[in-house]
């Protein structure tokens, strides 16, 4: 018997216990590493358009956000925690006699991660993965979205429609110990407000004679 091993505890059990505890200890260390700061994502521009020649029919959006990624989130990513960002679109039609009617909703998810072996960053979305040598090179692919199909091309045809867009870090995909209460989670948040997007005439007239 190994005199240094407690009786009744086998090495594989210790290894399994360590594998379970390590992510919890990492998340706890990140939470206690120092004060974090909330980051606001500001919409710099957005536009709606219908399909172009050669594209499948649809209503498309492009948008650009600006924000500074908080240092604690960068540190968490460098320790192996992937960050997930979401674009969320909503199209509704006003009704004077009742609540507005939701016409279309859509989300677009982007994953940002860091590989400590290659020291490279990866941006993944819709089955595509792009690799970058620096965070500065990767972030524009998070902050910008182009030709994102959000609805049918005639979805906003007519009048009384409101199109809105927002952007946020999906804190629900962070490790459980980092998912603190709503009051405290602002320190680990990157998010924008809902912003109204102008519906151009060609979109409002789509499908017309």
């Amino acid at each position: 018997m190994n005199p240094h091993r407690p009786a009744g505890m086998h090495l594989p059990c210790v290894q399994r216990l360590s594998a379970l505890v390590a992510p919890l200890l990492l998340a706890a260390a990140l939470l206690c590493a120092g004060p974090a700061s909330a980051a606001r994502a500001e919409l710099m521009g957005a536009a709606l358009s219908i399909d172009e020649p050669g594209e499948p029919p649809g209503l498309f959006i492009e948008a650009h956000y600006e924000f500074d990624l908080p240092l604690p989130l960068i540190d968490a990513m460098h320790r192996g925690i992937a960050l997930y960002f979401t674009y969320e679109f909503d199209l509704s039609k006003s009704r004077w006699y009742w609540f507005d009617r939701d016409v279309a909703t859509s989300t677009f998810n982007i994953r940002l991660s860091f590989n400590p072996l290659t020291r490279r960053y990866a941006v993944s979305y819709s089955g595509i993965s792009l690799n970058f040598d620096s965070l500065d090179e990767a972030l524009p692919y998070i902050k910008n979205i182009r030709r994102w199909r959000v609805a049918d091309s005639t979805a906003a045809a007519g009048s009384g429609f409101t199109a809105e867009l927002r952007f946020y870090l999906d804190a629900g995909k962070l490790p459980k110990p980092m998912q603190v209460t709503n009051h405290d989670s602002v320190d680990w948040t990157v998010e924008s407000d809902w912003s109204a997007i102008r519906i151009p005439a060609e979109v409002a007239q789509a499908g017309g004679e």
Side-chain angles (χ1 to χ4, degrees):
M1 175 181 293
N2 188 336
H4 299 292
R5 184 185 303 173
M9 180 174 289
H10 300 289
L11 185 58
C13 295
V14 176
Q15 291 174 334
R16 287 196 295 270
L17 181 62
S18 298
L20 292 172
V21 172
L24 300 178
L25 294 177
L26 170 59
L30 291 171
L31 287 173
C32 299
S37 57
R40 298 294 302 171
E42 298 294 336
L43 180 62
M44 308 306 292
L48 281 170
S49 62
I50 53 177
D51 47 279
E52 298 176 347
E55 283 185 322
L59 179 64
F60 293 82
I61 191 169
E62 60 182 65
H64 170 53
Y65 282 92
E66 274 299 335
F67 60 88
D68 293 321
L69 197 60
L71 290 178
L73 287 177
I74 296 177
D75 186 47
M77 184 171 53
H78 287 166
R79 293 171 183 262
I81 295 175
L83 305 180
Y84 295 83
F85 298 89
T86 298
Y87 285 84
E88 186 174 358
F89 173 82
D90 181 78
L91 179 68
S92 61
K93 184 175 177 61
S94 60
R95 296 187 291 190
W96 64 268
Y97 57 90
W98 197 242
F99 297 110
D100 292 352
R101 175 173 62 91
D102 284 332
V103 175
T105 59
S106 186
T107 57
F108 189 86
N109 302 302
I110 306 175
R111 181 179 186 268
L112 176 63
S113 60
F114 176 76
N115 187 325
L117 296 178
T118 63
R119 308 296 297 177
R120 302 192 77 195
Y121 298 83
V123 175
S124 306
Y125 57 90
S126 302
I128 299 172
S129 184
L130 306 173
N131 295 291
F132 303 92
D133 293 326
S134 70
L135 183 58
D136 287 340
E137 292 176 323
L139 280 177
Y141 289 81
I142 307 293
K143 298 177 178 181
N144 295 272
I145 192 167
R146 295 186 68 253
R147 307 307 295 167
W148 170 31
R149 188 185 187 280
V150 292
D152 294 335
S153 55
T154 59
S159 61
F161 289 93
T162 299
E164 293 183 296
L165 180 70
R166 71 167 177 156
F167 171 88
Y168 58 92
L169 170 75
D170 189 349
K173 288 185 170 63
L174 293 173
K176 293 296 183 182
M178 296 177 67
Q179 297 179 31
V180 292
T181 64
N182 289 336
H183 175 73
D184 295 328
S185 64
V186 67
D187 289 340
W188 295 87
T189 296
V190 178
E191 67 177 4
S192 74
D193 295 323
W194 280 101
S195 297
I197 309 301
R198 186 182 71 86
I199 299 177
E202 61 268 23
V203 172
Q205 297 167 3
E209 296 296 335

